[in-house]
Amino acid sequence: MFTGIIESVGQVESLQPLGGDVRVRIRTELDLSDVNLGDSIATNGVCLTVIAWGKDWYSADVSLESLNRTTLGQWKVGQKVNVEKAMLPTTRFGGHIVSGHVDAVAEISCVRHDARSLYFEVTAPAALAKYLAEKGSITVDGVSLTINHLRGNILSLNLIPHTAERTNIATWKLGTQVNLEVDILARYIERLLLGDKAAEVSNESKLSMAFLAENGFLK
């Protein structure tokens, strides 16, 4: 698990195709002295398992699932990425609960300055809109952020200079693809509301306004 508070900005050093998968190597200034084989490191919000590491680098194998569900398949050598080691029980919880399991790829649809802050609008896939809430938490490229305003599936973010300086956010431009992870609590609440119907096999959620009214959640 992670908190979404970025510890370092790393750089993609190599991308090696291996039998349909990819092995990625990240160069970072992050302290890796306490990293062990099999540890997790969130890289642009993607939970990667360390298979090899040195003083200032680590490598991980990336599955087809991760390549298809994240921006990792678009990464280039030299690209800047946000890096965070898995949290410890003693870690100060500065962000929110982040699993590193990316839900979808979203797109930066507006970029402008707002006083000293940076203002962004992110267009999320319509299917994720139900998990978004104004003033709720969202993880964008591994960064724990607050949704300031929400219009359907378009969420707005205001980032203070400190956040922009300590992450790769300064590289975001109109059309940039980013990894999106919704608040994990929203997903569990959805399953709980389904009750026994959660066991039914389906490719789509059965949670709807009609379902909530039928089962006494709405009056």
mmCIF file with all atom_site columns, all heavy atoms in Angstrom, residues 64-83:
data_model
loop_
_atom_site.group_PDB
_atom_site.id
_atom_site.type_symbol
_atom_site.label_atom_id
_atom_site.label_alt_id
_atom_site.label_comp_id
_atom_site.label_asym_id
_atom_site.label_entity_id
_atom_site.label_seq_id
_atom_site.pdbx_PDB_ins_code
_atom_site.Cartn_x
_atom_site.Cartn_y
_atom_site.Cartn_z
_atom_site.occupancy
_atom_site.B_iso_or_equiv
_atom_site.pdbx_formal_charge
_atom_site.auth_seq_id
_atom_site.auth_comp_id
_atom_site.auth_asym_id
_atom_site.auth_atom_id
_atom_site.pdbx_PDB_model_num
ATOM 1   N N   . LEU A 1 64 ? 1.317  -8.043  -19.177 1.00 0.00 ? 64 LEU A N   1
ATOM 2   C CA  . LEU A 1 64 ? 0.451  -7.531  -20.235 1.00 0.00 ? 64 LEU A CA  1
ATOM 3   C C   . LEU A 1 64 ? -0.736 -6.782  -19.649 1.00 0.00 ? 64 LEU A C   1
ATOM 4   O O   . LEU A 1 64 ? -1.195 -5.779  -20.217 1.00 0.00 ? 64 LEU A O   1
ATOM 5   C CB  . LEU A 1 64 ? -0.040 -8.680  -21.123 1.00 0.00 ? 64 LEU A CB  1
ATOM 6   C CG  . LEU A 1 64 ? 0.910  -9.157  -22.223 1.00 0.00 ? 64 LEU A CG  1
ATOM 7   C CD1 . LEU A 1 64 ? 0.317  -10.376 -22.930 1.00 0.00 ? 64 LEU A CD1 1
ATOM 8   C CD2 . LEU A 1 64 ? 1.181  -8.043  -23.225 1.00 0.00 ? 64 LEU A CD2 1
ATOM 9   N N   . GLU A 1 65 ? -1.255 -7.251  -18.512 1.00 0.00 ? 65 GLU A N   1
ATOM 10  C CA  . GLU A 1 65 ? -2.377 -6.574  -17.854 1.00 0.00 ? 65 GLU A CA  1
ATOM 11  C C   . GLU A 1 65 ? -2.008 -5.139  -17.522 1.00 0.00 ? 65 GLU A C   1
ATOM 12  O O   . GLU A 1 65 ? -2.763 -4.200  -17.788 1.00 0.00 ? 65 GLU A O   1
ATOM 13  C CB  . GLU A 1 65 ? -2.772 -7.331  -16.587 1.00 0.00 ? 65 GLU A CB  1
ATOM 14  C CG  . GLU A 1 65 ? -3.745 -6.606  -15.676 1.00 0.00 ? 65 GLU A CG  1
ATOM 15  C CD  . GLU A 1 65 ? -5.156 -6.478  -16.222 1.00 0.00 ? 65 GLU A CD  1
ATOM 16  O OE1 . GLU A 1 65 ? -5.448 -7.085  -17.284 1.00 0.00 ? 65 GLU A OE1 1
ATOM 17  O OE2 . GLU A 1 65 ? -5.975 -5.766  -15.610 1.00 0.00 ? 65 GLU A OE2 1
ATOM 18  N N   . SER A 1 66 ? -0.821 -4.947  -16.943 1.00 0.00 ? 66 SER A N   1
ATOM 19  C CA  . SER A 1 66 ? -0.374 -3.600  -16.589 1.00 0.00 ? 66 SER A CA  1
ATOM 20  C C   . SER A 1 66 ? -0.103 -2.758  -17.832 1.00 0.00 ? 66 SER A C   1
ATOM 21  O O   . SER A 1 66 ? -0.404 -1.559  -17.849 1.00 0.00 ? 66 SER A O   1
ATOM 22  C CB  . SER A 1 66 ? 0.888  -3.665  -15.726 1.00 0.00 ? 66 SER A CB  1
ATOM 23  O OG  . SER A 1 66 ? 0.615  -4.262  -14.473 1.00 0.00 ? 66 SER A OG  1
ATOM 24  N N   . LEU A 1 67 ? 0.438  -3.365  -18.864 1.00 0.00 ? 67 LEU A N   1
ATOM 25  C CA  . LEU A 1 67 ? 0.697  -2.637  -20.107 1.00 0.00 ? 67 LEU A CA  1
ATOM 26  C C   . LEU A 1 67 ? -0.601 -2.161  -20.743 1.00 0.00 ? 67 LEU A C   1
ATOM 27  O O   . LEU A 1 67 ? -0.663 -1.076  -21.329 1.00 0.00 ? 67 LEU A O   1
ATOM 28  C CB  . LEU A 1 67 ? 1.468  -3.518  -21.088 1.00 0.00 ? 67 LEU A CB  1
ATOM 29  C CG  . LEU A 1 67 ? 2.917  -3.842  -20.708 1.00 0.00 ? 67 LEU A CG  1
ATOM 30  C CD1 . LEU A 1 67 ? 3.484  -4.900  -21.661 1.00 0.00 ? 67 LEU A CD1 1
ATOM 31  C CD2 . LEU A 1 67 ? 3.789  -2.585  -20.741 1.00 0.00 ? 67 LEU A CD2 1
ATOM 32  N N   . ASN A 1 68 ? -1.648 -2.980  -20.627 1.00 0.00 ? 68 ASN A N   1
ATOM 33  C CA  . ASN A 1 68 ? -2.926 -2.644  -21.252 1.00 0.00 ? 68 ASN A CA  1
ATOM 34  C C   . ASN A 1 68 ? -3.753 -1.664  -20.429 1.00 0.00 ? 68 ASN A C   1
ATOM 35  O O   . ASN A 1 68 ? -4.573 -0.929  -20.984 1.00 0.00 ? 68 ASN A O   1
ATOM 36  C CB  . ASN A 1 68 ? -3.750 -3.916  -21.490 1.00 0.00 ? 68 ASN A CB  1
ATOM 37  C CG  . ASN A 1 68 ? -3.149 -4.817  -22.555 1.00 0.00 ? 68 ASN A CG  1
ATOM 38  O OD1 . ASN A 1 68 ? -2.473 -4.343  -23.456 1.00 0.00 ? 68 ASN A OD1 1
ATOM 39  N ND2 . ASN A 1 68 ? -3.397 -6.112  -22.443 1.00 0.00 ? 68 ASN A ND2 1
ATOM 40  N N   . ARG A 1 69 ? -3.558 -1.646  -19.109 1.00 0.00 ? 69 ARG A N   1
ATOM 41  C CA  . ARG A 1 69 ? -4.409 -0.840  -18.245 1.00 0.00 ? 69 ARG A CA  1
ATOM 42  C C   . ARG A 1 69 ? -3.773 0.484   -17.808 1.00 0.00 ? 69 ARG A C   1
ATOM 43  O O   . ARG A 1 69 ? -4.432 1.291   -17.153 1.00 0.00 ? 69 ARG A O   1
ATOM 44  C CB  . ARG A 1 69 ? -4.766 -1.650  -16.980 1.00 0.00 ? 69 ARG A CB  1
ATOM 45  C CG  . ARG A 1 69 ? -5.701 -2.811  -17.220 1.00 0.00 ? 69 ARG A CG  1
ATOM 46  C CD  . ARG A 1 69 ? -7.112 -2.359  -17.516 1.00 0.00 ? 69 ARG A CD  1
ATOM 47  N NE  . ARG A 1 69 ? -7.726 -1.729  -16.357 1.00 0.00 ? 69 ARG A NE  1
ATOM 48  C CZ  . ARG A 1 69 ? -8.435 -2.397  -15.444 1.00 0.00 ? 69 ARG A CZ  1
ATOM 49  N NH1 . ARG A 1 69 ? -8.623 -3.699  -15.554 1.00 0.00 ? 69 ARG A NH1 1
ATOM 50  N NH2 . ARG A 1 69 ? -8.976 -1.741  -14.431 1.00 0.00 ? 69 ARG A NH2 1
ATOM 51  N N   . THR A 1 70 ? -2.505 0.694   -18.147 1.00 0.00 ? 70 THR A N   1
ATOM 52  C CA  . THR A 1 70 ? -1.800 1.884   -17.690 1.00 0.00 ? 70 THR A CA  1
ATOM 53  C C   . THR A 1 70 ? -1.090 2.569   -18.862 1.00 0.00 ? 70 THR A C   1
ATOM 54  O O   . THR A 1 70 ? -1.159 2.105   -19.994 1.00 0.00 ? 70 THR A O   1
ATOM 55  C CB  . THR A 1 70 ? -0.749 1.515   -16.622 1.00 0.00 ? 70 THR A CB  1
ATOM 56  O OG1 . THR A 1 70 ? 0.357  0.831   -17.260 1.00 0.00 ? 70 THR A OG1 1
ATOM 57  C CG2 . THR A 1 70 ? -1.338 0.601   -15.552 1.00 0.00 ? 70 THR A CG2 1
ATOM 58  N N   . THR A 1 71 ? -0.396 3.645   -18.547 1.00 0.00 ? 71 THR A N   1
ATOM 59  C CA  . THR A 1 71 ? 0.377  4.356   -19.584 1.00 0.00 ? 71 THR A CA  1
ATOM 60  C C   . THR A 1 71 ? 1.740  3.719   -19.807 1.00 0.00 ? 71 THR A C   1
ATOM 61  O O   . THR A 1 71 ? 2.504  4.184   -20.652 1.00 0.00 ? 71 THR A O   1
ATOM 62  C CB  . THR A 1 71 ? 0.600  5.828   -19.175 1.00 0.00 ? 71 THR A CB  1
ATOM 63  O OG1 . THR A 1 71 ? 1.337  5.869   -17.938 1.00 0.00 ? 71 THR A OG1 1
ATOM 64  C CG2 . THR A 1 71 ? -0.727 6.560   -18.997 1.00 0.00 ? 71 THR A CG2 1
ATOM 65  N N   . LEU A 1 72 ? 2.063  2.665   -19.066 1.00 0.00 ? 72 LEU A N   1
ATOM 66  C CA  . LEU A 1 72 ? 3.409  2.111   -19.126 1.00 0.00 ? 72 LEU A CA  1
ATOM 67  C C   . LEU A 1 72 ? 3.820  1.691   -20.536 1.00 0.00 ? 72 LEU A C   1
ATOM 68  O O   . LEU A 1 72 ? 4.981  1.821   -20.917 1.00 0.00 ? 72 LEU A O   1
ATOM 69  C CB  . LEU A 1 72 ? 3.537  0.932   -18.156 1.00 0.00 ? 72 LEU A CB  1
ATOM 70  C CG  . LEU A 1 72 ? 4.932  0.716   -17.580 1.00 0.00 ? 72 LEU A CG  1
ATOM 71  C CD1 . LEU A 1 72 ? 4.859  0.099   -16.201 1.00 0.00 ? 72 LEU A CD1 1
ATOM 72  C CD2 . LEU A 1 72 ? 5.786  -0.132  -18.480 1.00 0.00 ? 72 LEU A CD2 1
ATOM 73  N N   . GLY A 1 73 ? 2.868  1.220   -21.319 1.00 0.00 ? 73 GLY A N   1
ATOM 74  C CA  . GLY A 1 73 ? 3.176  0.833   -22.690 1.00 0.00 ? 73 GLY A CA  1
ATOM 75  C C   . GLY A 1 73 ? 3.594  1.997   -23.563 1.00 0.00 ? 73 GLY A C   1
ATOM 76  O O   . GLY A 1 73 ? 4.145  1.804   -24.647 1.00 0.00 ? 73 GLY A O   1
ATOM 77  N N   . GLN A 1 74 ? 3.360  3.239   -23.087 1.00 0.00 ? 74 GLN A N   1
ATOM 78  C CA  . GLN A 1 74 ? 3.730  4.436   -23.843 1.00 0.00 ? 74 GLN A CA  1
ATOM 79  C C   . GLN A 1 74 ? 5.014  5.079   -23.325 1.00 0.00 ? 74 GLN A C   1
ATOM 80  O O   . GLN A 1 74 ? 5.481  6.068   -23.881 1.00 0.00 ? 74 GLN A O   1
ATOM 81  C CB  . GLN A 1 74 ? 2.601  5.468   -23.759 1.00 0.00 ? 74 GLN A CB  1
ATOM 82  C CG  . GLN A 1 74 ? 1.233  4.959   -24.172 1.00 0.00 ? 74 GLN A CG  1
ATOM 83  C CD  . GLN A 1 74 ? 0.131  5.947   -23.820 1.00 0.00 ? 74 GLN A CD  1
ATOM 84  O OE1 . GLN A 1 74 ? 0.350  7.153   -23.695 1.00 0.00 ? 74 GLN A OE1 1
ATOM 85  N NE2 . GLN A 1 74 ? -1.085 5.443   -23.635 1.00 0.00 ? 74 GLN A NE2 1
ATOM 86  N N   . TRP A 1 75 ? 5.571  4.532   -22.243 1.00 0.00 ? 75 TRP A N   1
ATOM 87  C CA  . TRP A 1 75 ? 6.752  5.159   -21.655 1.00 0.00 ? 75 TRP A CA  1
ATOM 88  C C   . TRP A 1 75 ? 7.925  5.137   -22.629 1.00 0.00 ? 75 TRP A C   1
ATOM 89  O O   . TRP A 1 75 ? 8.077  4.217   -23.441 1.00 0.00 ? 75 TRP A O   1
ATOM 90  C CB  . TRP A 1 75 ? 7.161  4.433   -20.377 1.00 0.00 ? 75 TRP A CB  1
ATOM 91  C CG  . TRP A 1 75 ? 6.220  4.655   -19.230 1.00 0.00 ? 75 TRP A CG  1
ATOM 92  C CD1 . TRP A 1 75 ? 5.036  5.341   -19.243 1.00 0.00 ? 75 TRP A CD1 1
ATOM 93  C CD2 . TRP A 1 75 ? 6.379  4.163   -17.896 1.00 0.00 ? 75 TRP A CD2 1
ATOM 94  N NE1 . TRP A 1 75 ? 4.448  5.304   -18.017 1.00 0.00 ? 75 TRP A NE1 1
ATOM 95  C CE2 . TRP A 1 75 ? 5.235  4.595   -17.166 1.00 0.00 ? 75 TRP A CE2 1
ATOM 96  C CE3 . TRP A 1 75 ? 7.341  3.400   -17.260 1.00 0.00 ? 75 TRP A CE3 1
ATOM 97  C CZ2 . TRP A 1 75 ? 5.066  4.286   -15.811 1.00 0.00 ? 75 TRP A CZ2 1
ATOM 98  C CZ3 . TRP A 1 75 ? 7.167  3.083   -15.920 1.00 0.00 ? 75 TRP A CZ3 1
ATOM 99  C CH2 . TRP A 1 75 ? 6.049  3.537   -15.210 1.00 0.00 ? 75 TRP A CH2 1
ATOM 100 N N   . LYS A 1 76 ? 8.767  6.176   -22.505 1.00 0.00 ? 76 LYS A N   1
ATOM 101 C CA  . LYS A 1 76 ? 9.967  6.307   -23.321 1.00 0.00 ? 76 LYS A CA  1
ATOM 102 C C   . LYS A 1 76 ? 11.193 6.380   -22.417 1.00 0.00 ? 76 LYS A C   1
ATOM 103 O O   . LYS A 1 76 ? 11.111 6.834   -21.271 1.00 0.00 ? 76 LYS A O   1
ATOM 104 C CB  . LYS A 1 76 ? 9.910  7.583   -24.183 1.00 0.00 ? 76 LYS A CB  1
ATOM 105 C CG  . LYS A 1 76 ? 8.634  7.740   -24.999 1.00 0.00 ? 76 LYS A CG  1
ATOM 106 C CD  . LYS A 1 76 ? 8.546  6.722   -26.120 1.00 0.00 ? 76 LYS A CD  1
ATOM 107 C CE  . LYS A 1 76 ? 7.306  6.978   -26.979 1.00 0.00 ? 76 LYS A CE  1
ATOM 108 N NZ  . LYS A 1 76 ? 7.111  5.920   -28.009 1.00 0.00 ? 76 LYS A NZ  1
ATOM 109 N N   . VAL A 1 77 ? 12.331 5.945   -22.949 1.00 0.00 ? 77 VAL A N   1
ATOM 110 C CA  . VAL A 1 77 ? 13.584 6.074   -22.202 1.00 0.00 ? 77 VAL A CA  1
ATOM 111 C C   . VAL A 1 77 ? 13.850 7.557   -21.958 1.00 0.00 ? 77 VAL A C   1
ATOM 112 O O   . VAL A 1 77 ? 13.705 8.382   -22.856 1.00 0.00 ? 77 VAL A O   1
ATOM 113 C CB  . VAL A 1 77 ? 14.749 5.432   -22.983 1.00 0.00 ? 77 VAL A CB  1
ATOM 114 C CG1 . VAL A 1 77 ? 16.086 5.740   -22.305 1.00 0.00 ? 77 VAL A CG1 1
ATOM 115 C CG2 . VAL A 1 77 ? 14.549 3.924   -23.079 1.00 0.00 ? 77 VAL A CG2 1
ATOM 116 N N   . GLY A 1 78 ? 14.190 7.901   -20.716 1.00 0.00 ? 78 GLY A N   1
ATOM 117 C CA  . GLY A 1 78 ? 14.440 9.295   -20.351 1.00 0.00 ? 78 GLY A CA  1
ATOM 118 C C   . GLY A 1 78 ? 13.241 9.979   -19.729 1.00 0.00 ? 78 GLY A C   1
ATOM 119 O O   . GLY A 1 78 ? 13.362 11.077  -19.179 1.00 0.00 ? 78 GLY A O   1
ATOM 120 N N   . GLN A 1 79 ? 12.074 9.344   -19.802 1.00 0.00 ? 79 GLN A N   1
ATOM 121 C CA  . GLN A 1 79 ? 10.852 9.935   -19.253 1.00 0.00 ? 79 GLN A CA  1
ATOM 122 C C   . GLN A 1 79 ? 10.919 10.025  -17.734 1.00 0.00 ? 79 GLN A C   1
ATOM 123 O O   . GLN A 1 79 ? 11.414 9.128   -17.064 1.00 0.00 ? 79 GLN A O   1
ATOM 124 C CB  . GLN A 1 79 ? 9.654  9.093   -19.674 1.00 0.00 ? 79 GLN A CB  1
ATOM 125 C CG  . GLN A 1 79 ? 8.325  9.574   -19.115 1.00 0.00 ? 79 GLN A CG  1
ATOM 126 C CD  . GLN A 1 79 ? 7.163  8.764   -19.670 1.00 0.00 ? 79 GLN A CD  1
ATOM 127 O OE1 . GLN A 1 79 ? 7.237  8.243   -20.778 1.00 0.00 ? 79 GLN A OE1 1
ATOM 128 N NE2 . GLN A 1 79 ? 6.096  8.655   -18.905 1.00 0.00 ? 79 GLN A NE2 1
ATOM 129 N N   . LYS A 1 80 ? 10.401 11.128  -17.183 1.00 0.00 ? 80 LYS A N   1
ATOM 130 C CA  . LYS A 1 80 ? 10.354 11.299  -15.738 1.00 0.00 ? 80 LYS A CA  1
ATOM 131 C C   . LYS A 1 80 ? 9.125  10.588  -15.169 1.00 0.00 ? 80 LYS A C   1
ATOM 132 O O   . LYS A 1 80 ? 8.046  10.654  -15.745 1.00 0.00 ? 80 LYS A O   1
ATOM 133 C CB  . LYS A 1 80 ? 10.318 12.782  -15.370 1.00 0.00 ? 80 LYS A CB  1
ATOM 134 C CG  . LYS A 1 80 ? 11.612 13.520  -15.701 1.00 0.00 ? 80 LYS A CG  1
ATOM 135 C CD  . LYS A 1 80 ? 11.535 14.975  -15.274 1.00 0.00 ? 80 LYS A CD  1
ATOM 136 C CE  . LYS A 1 80 ? 12.842 15.687  -15.560 1.00 0.00 ? 80 LYS A CE  1
ATOM 137 N NZ  . LYS A 1 80 ? 12.788 17.133  -15.151 1.00 0.00 ? 80 LYS A NZ  1
ATOM 138 N N   . VAL A 1 81 ? 9.318  9.916   -14.015 1.00 0.00 ? 81 VAL A N   1
ATOM 139 C CA  . VAL A 1 81 ? 8.223  9.187   -13.382 1.00 0.00 ? 81 VAL A CA  1
ATOM 140 C C   . VAL A 1 81 ? 8.227  9.453   -11.877 1.00 0.00 ? 81 VAL A C   1
ATOM 141 O O   . VAL A 1 81 ? 9.275  9.673   -11.275 1.00 0.00 ? 81 VAL A O   1
ATOM 142 C CB  . VAL A 1 81 ? 8.331  7.662   -13.638 1.00 0.00 ? 81 VAL A CB  1
ATOM 143 C CG1 . VAL A 1 81 ? 8.032  7.340   -15.090 1.00 0.00 ? 81 VAL A CG1 1
ATOM 144 C CG2 . VAL A 1 81 ? 9.708  7.123   -13.249 1.00 0.00 ? 81 VAL A CG2 1
ATOM 145 N N   . ASN A 1 82 ? 7.036  9.435   -11.294 1.00 0.00 ? 82 ASN A N   1
ATOM 146 C CA  . ASN A 1 82 ? 6.898  9.617   -9.849  1.00 0.00 ? 82 ASN A CA  1
ATOM 147 C C   . ASN A 1 82 ? 7.162  8.295   -9.128  1.00 0.00 ? 82 ASN A C   1
ATOM 148 O O   . ASN A 1 82 ? 6.657  7.253   -9.547  1.00 0.00 ? 82 ASN A O   1
ATOM 149 C CB  . ASN A 1 82 ? 5.491  10.113  -9.518  1.00 0.00 ? 82 ASN A CB  1
ATOM 150 C CG  . ASN A 1 82 ? 5.198  11.467  -10.128 1.00 0.00 ? 82 ASN A CG  1
ATOM 151 O OD1 . ASN A 1 82 ? 6.042  12.357  -10.088 1.00 0.00 ? 82 ASN A OD1 1
ATOM 152 N ND2 . ASN A 1 82 ? 4.007  11.638  -10.674 1.00 0.00 ? 82 ASN A ND2 1
ATOM 153 N N   . VAL A 1 83 ? 7.924  8.355   -8.051  1.00 0.00 ? 83 VAL A N   1
ATOM 154 C CA  . VAL A 1 83 ? 8.346  7.140   -7.351  1.00 0.00 ? 83 VAL A CA  1
ATOM 155 C C   . VAL A 1 83 ? 7.987  7.230   -5.859  1.00 0.00 ? 83 VAL A C   1
ATOM 156 O O   . VAL A 1 83 ? 8.214  8.252   -5.212  1.00 0.00 ? 83 VAL A O   1
ATOM 157 C CB  . VAL A 1 83 ? 9.867  6.921   -7.513  1.00 0.00 ? 83 VAL A CB  1
ATOM 158 C CG1 . VAL A 1 83 ? 10.316 5.702   -6.739  1.00 0.00 ? 83 VAL A CG1 1
ATOM 159 C CG2 . VAL A 1 83 ? 10.231 6.781   -8.981  1.00 0.00 ? 83 VAL A CG2 1
#
